[in-house]
Amino acid sequence: GKGLAVALGCHRQGAAVGLVLAVGNAAAPDALMRQLQQEALSAHLVRRYPGPSGQGAGWLAADGSNAILTFAGANALLDTAQVAASADALARAALVYGQFEVPQETVCAAFVLAREAGACTVLNPSPWQRIESPLLAQTQVIVVNEREAWQLLETADPASSDWSAAVASLWPRWPGGLQRRLVVTLGARGSLSFEPAGHCEHTPAPCVTVR
């Protein structure tokens, strides 16, 4: 899913990446393990669970926007015990990334260990769920798409209002220091990065050929 895609992308850019993953017992996990081996990505923190692996399918909505359907599968079984077993790797990380294909309490446990070791924590709360307070307090960077931003900021449509005013309402309920960042991805329009002091930086999207 999304976590694996991010990990693989970072690995291909030259970063040293460790994976804390849950997979099921079927043909798809076998193919995944072969791909990890081909990519030279370590699988020693990948755990197999009974039943199917998580799955996702991309659809095109009536308005032309992307829509993704997900089935948690083994992802729902990735628990805090597996995080505890990965504590040494988390303690060595410079950055720990999590998303909501796995339970929030699992992500929170990983972020607690990461913050104790001085690592940056990045959360992509997708598939969207409201971020519970304990996890929010352990998160330094939140990455959301435009629709998720509407829900996070509890406003109907930030795109039709003042982004800065909408984002300003987030900081008082998000514990942390000046290192916090909210990143909103806008597809072909690039992304916006907000910081508590009020600065906003726009990064244009690179031009790519879709194949």
Side-chain angles (χ1 to χ4, degrees), residues 4 8 12 19 21 23-41 43 46 48 53-55:
L4 178 60
L8 184 57
R12 290 178 175 177
L19 302 169
L21 295 180
V23 297
N25 286 320
D30 293 335
L32 170 62
M33 300 301 278
R34 288 194 297 271
Q35 182 180 5
L36 295 182
Q37 185 176 24
Q38 292 169 0
E39 296 281 351
L41 268 167
V46 177
R48 284 183 178 264
S53 291
Q55 301 286 337

Side-chain angles (χ1 to χ4, degrees), residues 90-91 93 95-96 108-121 138:
L90 290 166
L95 183 148
V96 173
C108 188
F111 279 15
V112 168
L113 292 174
R115 292 294 300 276
E116 289 175 350
C120 177
T121 52
Q138 298 296 332

Side-chain angles (χ1 to χ4, degrees), residues 11-211:
H11 172 70
R12 290 178 175 177
Q13 292 295 316
V17 176
L19 302 169
V20 181
L21 295 180
V23 297
N25 286 320
D30 293 335
L32 170 62
M33 300 301 278
R34 288 194 297 271
Q35 182 180 5
L36 295 182
Q37 185 176 24
Q38 292 169 0
E39 296 281 351
L41 268 167
S42 172
H44 78 281
L45 296 178
V46 177
R47 181 175 172 186
R48 284 183 178 264
Y49 291 88
S53 291
Q55 301 286 337
W59 298 79
L60 201 59
D63 63 359
S65 61
N66 289 329
I68 300 176
L69 301 179
T70 63
F71 167 69
N75 288 326
L77 303 177
L78 197 156
D79 56 17
T80 56
Q82 188 170 345
V83 169
S86 310
D88 289 345
L90 290 166
R92 295 193 301 270
L95 183 148
V96 173
Y97 169 93
Q99 80 310 302
F100 285 169
E101 291 169 334
V102 302
Q104 283 205 42
E105 57 266 26
T106 303
V107 179
C108 188
F111 279 15
V112 168
L113 292 174
R115 292 294 300 276
E116 289 175 350
C120 177
T121 52
V122 179
L123 176 65
N124 188 326
S126 177
W128 170 258
Q129 297 176 38
R130 183 181 181 275
I131 307 171
E132 300 297 336
S133 297
L135 176 56
L136 189 61
Q138 298 296 332
T139 301
Q140 291 177 288
V141 180
I142 299 175
V143 181
V144 288
N145 63 31
E146 197 166 6
R147 185 177 298 275
E148 292 161 349
W150 304 345
Q151 296 166 296
L152 174 66
L153 301 174
E154 299 177 354
T155 184
D157 185 354
S160 63
S161 60
D162 184 347
W163 270 108
S164 297
V167 173
S169 67
L170 174 65
W171 306 119
R173 53 189 173 90
W174 179 6
L178 295 177
Q179 295 80 17
R180 289 170 296 164
R181 295 291 184 272
L182 172 66
V183 178
V184 181
T185 60
L186 304 171
R189 290 175 288 148
S191 65
L192 299 173
S193 175
F194 299 91
E195 60 182 62
H199 178 69
C200 173
E201 180 176 352
H202 174 248
T203 301
C207 293
V208 298
T209 301
V210 179
R211 296 178 180 176

